[in-house]
Amino acid sequence: MQDVIIIGAGPCGLSAAIECGRRGLSTHIIEKHCLVHSIYLYPTHMQFFSTAELLEIGDVPFPSPNEKPFRYEALSYYRKVADHYDLSISQYEEALSVERQPDHSFVVHTVDRSGQKHQYEARNVVISTGYFDHPNYIGTPGEDLDKVTHYFREAHPYTGMNVAIIGGSNSAVDAAMELIRVGANIHMVYRGEEVSENIKPWVRPVFEAMVKKGKIEVHVQSKVTEIRESSITIQDKDGHTTEIDNDFVLALTGFRPDRKLLASCGVELDGDMEKPLFNPETMESNVPGLYVAGVIASGRNANEVFIETGRKHGGLIAEHIAAVRASQQ
């Protein structure tokens, strides 16, 4: 019987484990993939929007020679933090369900990558799962073709190719800037009037210059209506359609958190945004003893919670669990 089972080994899950451990609570982390898998899935050469100090957890300094650290630095940092605190983590083991017991404890059912099933007992559970397993599909005919991906890792495979980017966020702009370097022919298709106002300030002027030079063709207030093996069709706001040659489609339309674990244990979701009900002062859900941390606490807008805010959830959770335990002794 653990004091706390934490589902998800992202920065926010690691922070929760550290804070619980500091208060003498026994903890174990269950992770479906590898440590900080969401960061691993970021583009290979991605640079964070945040400074290193805003990504720190457990009072462990994040040394970086860069004002804004890169993905590879974050992977190294979070590995070192997990080692420093000797966190107990089961990697490549998926949590399937969380069951509340008559004595108000929990049983977490899991399966590892060999298909072996396990179960863990805990007095409290923290759900800190991310969202990169669940892309927002656009529902366009042809989206299931092999040429379409919702993940961009690096530009090399697209050297000299005709590439369409669907989206206008930082991920879409970053991908376009990398694709320029390998000589790709780039069409960016975005339903908004202009690319996101949240584009990294040091990237935006360079991006706009590349658009003016014709290195990137941007189709705003437009959408891709069909994807075929060698072309795509773009429709503008007036309903006019254009067919262009295409080799690959990067559908960078964001991701959404998975709610199945929350639903399995009775957590209520608020309205169309599917935001779990929880106390923001403790992060405890409507199910006593079950907490949320990180992006899972947001609604469908996964940009509502970032590492720099979600990392603080662990302290709130640990304080509340410790206080409840003290009151019961």
Side-chain angles (χ1 to χ4, degrees):
M1 175 71 73
Q2 296 282 341
D3 288 320
V4 188
I5 289 290
I6 298 168
I7 302 173
C12 300
L14 297 180
S15 176
I18 292 167
E19 297 302 328
C20 287
R22 284 173 158 177
R23 290 159 179 82
L25 302 169
S26 61
T27 66
H28 182 68
I29 303 174
I30 299 168
E31 168 56 50
K32 181 179 178 181
H33 298 290
C34 61
L35 189 75
V36 291
H37 181 250
S38 58
I39 294 176
Y40 170 73
L41 287 179
Y42 287 165
T44 303
H45 307 295
M46 191 214 75
Q47 187 175 22
F48 280 87
F49 198 102
S50 303
T51 59
E53 64 182 11
L54 294 178
L55 302 175
E56 293 176 354
I57 59 175
D59 295 324
V60 177
F62 186 157
S64 173
N66 304 295
E67 181 182 358
K68 313 282 188 179
F70 286 83
R71 165 188 172 272
Y72 73 90
E73 296 177 272
L75 292 176
S76 175
Y77 170 74
Y78 291 117
R79 287 198 306 269
K80 290 177 179 177
V81 171
D83 287 342
H84 176 76
Y85 282 99
D86 194 24
L87 298 180
S88 175
I89 307 173
S90 293
Q91 296 186 80
Y92 301 102
E93 189 171 332
E94 180 180 4
L96 300 176
S97 64
V98 179
E99 292 183 359
R100 190 107 190 273
Q101 302 302 298
D103 65 354
H104 305 300
S105 66
F106 298 89
V107 173
V108 180
H109 297 272
T110 72
V111 61
D112 62 29
R113 59 179 176 175
S114 66
Q116 185 72 32
K117 293 184 177 180
H118 308 270
Q119 65 179 40
Y120 300 84
E121 296 180 351
R123 297 179 182 87
N124 303 275
V125 171
V126 178
I127 297 181
S128 186
T129 50
Y131 55 94
F132 269 103
D133 287 343
H134 304 276
N136 293 321
Y137 293 103
I138 57 177
T140 298
E143 188 175 8
D144 58 345
L145 293 175
D146 289 342
K147 64 184 278 186
V148 181
T149 180
H150 291 82
Y151 301 89
F152 174 73
R153 300 306 300 271
E154 55 185 314
H156 177 75
Y158 308 106
T159 300
M161 297 286 101
N162 295 315
V163 183
I165 300 173
I166 302 175
S169 64
N170 271 298
S171 59
V173 170
D174 286 349
M177 298 304 296
E178 285 201 41
L179 289 168
I180 288 174
R181 301 187 185 103
V182 298
N185 179 31
I186 308 161
H187 287 264
M188 179 180 289
V189 185
Y190 187 51
R191 62 186 178 182
E193 295 184 2
E194 58 180 358
V195 296
S196 171
E197 61 182 15
N198 296 319
I199 300 303
K200 299 168 186 173
W202 63 91
V203 174
R204 179 180 285 277
V206 182
F207 169 75
E208 292 175 346
M210 292 299 102
V211 172
K212 289 181 180 179
K213 291 180 179 179
K215 299 290 186 179
I216 306 168
E217 187 166 346
V218 179
H219 307 262
V220 294
Q221 294 183 290
S222 301
K223 61 182 179 179
V224 174
T225 56
E226 187 174 0
I227 303 170
R228 292 173 292 277
E229 290 290 356
S230 58
S231 67
I232 63 171
T233 298
I234 300 173
Q235 183 182 77
D236 65 21
K237 64 177 180 177
D238 298 320
H240 301 139
T241 60
T242 304
E243 184 175 356
I244 62 172
D245 293 339
N246 175 262
D247 298 304
F248 293 99
V249 174
L250 303 177
L252 305 182
T253 51
F255 302 85
R256 66 186 189 281
D258 185 1
R259 306 299 186 194
K260 67 180 181 181
L261 280 176
L262 296 174
S264 75
C265 50
V267 175
E268 296 180 21
L269 303 179
D270 184 17
D272 294 339
M273 292 302 291
E274 296 184 350
K275 187 172 183 176
L277 294 180
F278 65 91
N279 182 339
E281 296 181 359
T282 65
M283 304 307 294
E284 186 178 37
S285 72
N286 62 285
V287 178
L290 192 142
Y291 301 80
V292 292
V295 71
I296 196 70
S298 68
R300 290 184 182 176
N301 178 14
N303 292 325
E304 184 178 331
V305 177
F306 298 93
I307 295 173
E308 49 264 58
T309 52
R311 63 180 181 157
K312 299 177 182 178
H313 294 167
L316 300 176
I317 292 168
E319 283 289 345
H320 188 250
I321 293 175
V324 171
R325 186 175 67 168
S327 69
Q328 295 172 343
Q329 291 176 347

